[in-house]
Amino acid sequence: MLRTPTTRLLAIGAAASLALSLAACGGSEDSTAPAEDPKELVLSLVPSGDIDSITESAKGLESFLSDRIGIPVRAEVTESYAAAIVAMKSDQAQVAMLGPIGVVQAEDQAGAVPILQSVRYGSASYHTQWFTNDPETYCADEVTVVDGLKYCNGTDAAKTGPTGEVALSKVKPGTPIAFVDQGSAAGYYYPATQWGMVTGGDALVDLDAQFAGDHDAAVLAVARGDYPVGVSFDDAREDVAADEPKVASDVVVFAYSAEIPNDGIVVAGGLSKELRTKVTDAFTTMAKDPKGLKTLEAVYDIEGLVKVDKAALKKAKSVEENFGE
């Protein structure tokens, strides 16, 4: 079982900024182009599940994007969102596919330019799901089963969040919670913020946060009884239920967060406008091409790409800023 000292939470909100303390200001479409664009683009990816799976799927991204952009594209899987942002800041990566918190941090701290946003299930937003292996404590009504997975507190019928927030008051300070990653929107920032708003507590101090590393691992940690409560994107259980029967039998979703803008794609602000446009067009074409779309689905379950929702990212930025320095 992963154990992270509670005191580490005091520094989590500043983790990325400490790593990027000399970072540049946010990028813009009018950023000064370098004398010469790179001969190769590095695409930074952060695993949301099995690292071997995303590494294999990334080969399709490399091939498709290289052909459309006209220069080699090499995908690299980083260990965290913070590492991906550091790679952009140090020019070790020129393109990154990041969660919404990562997008705003890359913009502010590495001078990156957000270009596109993912679509899933027909929506450009999603939410955190809170789940438990202790429904007697966190469910105020009967547990229901939908397509083999368990829900309570109205989460079975809700299409968007927030839902079941009253149950969050039962998550007492000191309760071990399987969060995902210190840089994850659905896996840390939004649920920690939500808990603080519901309870009036200080999430950075009061919550006993344990970081599983990815969404699949957070679900499995609760399924196997390592933690009583966990969080992930909705519905990460589907990705691991076939391999771990306890996910279907023991993991009950009991609350949702407010809606979160989907993950997006950013490019280095130092690239020429011409190359940034080529990258944008290549990803857009990929999302409309049957073979390309299958690759995007394999990497991050993406079913489409749209222009960045700047208003939604502004809200994500306000959540990120709550964690301060």
Side-chain angles (χ1 to χ4, degrees):
M1 178 174 67
L2 296 174
R3 302 298 297 179
T4 303
T6 303
T7 52
R8 186 178 178 188
L9 269 180
L10 296 173
I12 286 170
S17 57
L18 286 173
L20 302 166
S21 58
L22 299 178
C25 297
S28 71
E29 293 299 327
D30 295 322
S31 299
T32 302
E36 183 177 357
D37 279 323
K39 303 301 182 183
E40 176 190 63
L41 293 177
V42 176
L43 168 62
S44 186
L45 304 172
V46 181
S48 60
D50 180 65
I51 190 170
D52 291 333
S53 176
I54 193 172
T55 300
E56 181 63 29
S57 300
K59 295 178 182 178
L61 285 175
E62 292 175 332
S63 176
F64 193 101
L65 295 173
S66 295
D67 288 345
R68 298 311 186 280
I69 297 172
I71 60 175
V73 175
R74 175 166 51 88
E76 289 191 352
V77 179
T78 63
E79 63 181 12
S80 66
Y81 294 104
I85 295 167
V86 168
M88 292 206 76
K89 178 183 178 295
S90 60
D91 199 31
Q92 299 302 304
Q94 294 76 39
V95 187
M97 301 177 74
L98 303 169
I101 297 298
V103 168
V104 298
Q105 288 177 335
E107 184 178 19
D108 289 346
Q109 300 169 350
V113 179
I115 55 172
L116 294 167
Q117 193 171 323
S118 302
V119 173
R120 293 183 186 85
Y121 306 106
S123 175
S125 70
Y126 68 117
H127 46 261
T128 297
Q129 61 178 19
W130 290 79
F131 46 84
T132 184
N133 52 32
D134 182 13
E136 290 188 5
T137 297
Y138 299 103
C139 293
D141 56 9
E142 292 294 323
V143 173
T144 60
V145 180
V146 179
D147 296 330
L149 297 175
K150 293 183 176 181
Y151 304 82
C152 69
N153 301 338
T155 55
D156 59 312
K159 301 299 182 184
T160 60
T163 302
E165 285 192 309
V166 173
L168 297 183
S169 63
K170 299 180 180 180
V171 181
K172 302 303 182 182
T175 301
I177 300 176
F179 286 104
V180 175
D181 178 271
Q182 292 95 325
S184 172
Y188 180 56
Y189 278 89
Y190 274 75
T193 298
Q194 182 185 23
W195 182 87
M197 293 178 66
V198 169
T199 66
D202 186 338
L204 294 179
V205 176
D206 298 334
L207 291 178
D208 183 9
Q210 312 297 321
F211 294 96
D214 60 51
H215 295 265
D216 290 0
V219 173
L220 291 171
V222 172
R224 294 167 180 168
D226 294 339
Y227 305 97
V229 175
V231 299
S232 72
F233 64 75
D234 174 37
D235 194 320
R237 293 178 297 176
E238 295 175 351
D239 294 337
V240 291
D243 296 326
E244 176 51 77
K246 288 185 177 181
V247 170
S249 63
D250 296 357
V251 179
V252 183
V253 169
F254 68 89
Y256 292 151
S257 75
E259 290 299 291
I260 307 168
N262 280 352
D263 51 295
I265 302 169
V266 299
V267 296
L271 298 182
S272 67
K273 290 183 67 174
E274 179 183 3
L275 185 51
R276 293 204 302 264
T277 298
K278 285 183 178 181
V279 172
T280 303
D281 290 346
F283 272 106
T284 302
T285 299
M286 192 172 194
K288 295 178 180 179
D289 178 89
K291 184 177 179 180
L293 186 57
K294 285 185 178 180
T295 298
L296 290 171
E297 289 175 344
V299 175
Y300 284 137
D301 294 322
I302 295 172
E303 66 177 35
L305 292 169
V306 295
K307 291 182 179 180
V308 169
D309 184 339
K310 294 183 179 180
L313 284 181
K314 186 176 181 180
K315 292 181 180 179
K317 181 175 177 61
S318 70
V319 171
E320 188 265 346
E321 288 175 341
N322 287 338
F323 287 75
E325 292 188 348

